[in-house]
Amino acid sequence: MDSFELNKIAGAVLAALLLIFGTRTLVYELRHDKPLEQQAYIVDIPEEETATDAAAAEPVEEVEIATLLTSATVDAGAKVFRKCASCHANAPGAGARVGPNLHGVYNRDIGAAAGYAYSAALSEKQGNWDAEALNGFLKNPKGWAPGTKMIYAGLRRPEERANLIKYLESLK
């Protein structure tokens, strides 16, 4: 192959590259998009409420847990327990998950589930998991036991807490 043929091949490659990149640049320059003056489709997004705004907007009247337990049902508590099931087991002999097994938790010592390492906040608590203790913890875990490992914010509605406590009491 002589140098003339090499020059023709190199020229063809350079012409192809010039055609590709030149066309791309020309299309980019011709398709110069201008920003819209007004959105074509307007999405109405409400402003987020802060926790204090939500609490002020919907005041929840606190009722004695003992009063609520009289009308609570195990079936409704089982439905509420679905929120807990991703982190807690409820079967006898089942091991701990992210949180301890809740089978037999009612009247068990606070921070005393076999096979689970509780945070210091719960290990140092005195007493048993009775209705009052469970209600306080389920309402606001971090407020009831500052430093707890439980990341769930709590159950806001007292009826849900009462149903869940009734369900936990049935797990013996």
Side-chain angles (χ1 to χ4, degrees), residues 77-162:
K79 290 178 185 173
V80 176
F81 185 79
R82 291 179 191 159
K83 296 177 183 180
C84 312
S86 60
C87 297
H88 296 279
N90 64 346
R97 293 183 183 167
V98 175
N101 184 348
L102 296 180
H103 188 270
V105 71
Y106 196 83
N107 282 330
R108 180 170 68 199
D109 286 339
I110 296 174
Y116 184 75
Y118 281 93
S119 62
L122 284 175
S123 296
E124 295 168 358
K125 284 274 189 183
Q126 300 297 315
N128 292 337
W129 285 118
D130 58 5
E132 290 296 326
L134 284 168
N135 183 51
F137 188 70
L138 292 172
K139 180 180 179 183
N140 183 1
K142 296 210 181 281
W144 191 81
T148 183
K149 292 191 285 186
M150 186 158 152
I151 58 172
Y152 188 69
L155 294 171
R156 196 167 159 266
R157 295 183 42 220
E159 296 80 16
E160 282 187 336
R161 292 194 305 268

Side-chain angles (χ1 to χ4, degrees), residues 58-101:
E58 280 186 48
V60 176
E61 185 178 320
E62 279 301 314
V63 181
E64 289 270 335
I65 193 66
T67 306
L68 291 172
L69 284 172
T70 58
S71 62
T73 65
V74 173
D75 291 336
K79 290 178 185 173
V80 176
F81 185 79
R82 291 179 191 159
K83 296 177 183 180
C84 312
S86 60
C87 297
H88 296 279
N90 64 346
R97 293 183 183 167
V98 175
N101 184 348

Side-chain angles (χ1 to χ4, degrees), residues 40-57:
Y41 184 76
I42 299 172
V43 178
D44 197 19
I45 301 173
E47 291 183 28
E48 289 186 29
E49 295 180 354
T50 61
T52 56
D53 291 343

Side-chain angles (χ1 to χ4, degrees), residues 5 8 11-12 16 20-21 29 32-33 48 52 73 91 104 118 125 132-133 145 147 149 153 159 163 166 168:
E5 285 188 32
K8 287 194 307 188
I20 292 170
F21 288 113
E29 290 298 324
H32 188 69
D33 288 338
E48 289 186 29
T52 56
T73 65
Y118 281 93
K125 284 274 189 183
E132 290 296 326
K149 292 191 285 186
E159 296 80 16
N163 287 325
K166 190 73 145 184
L168 293 174

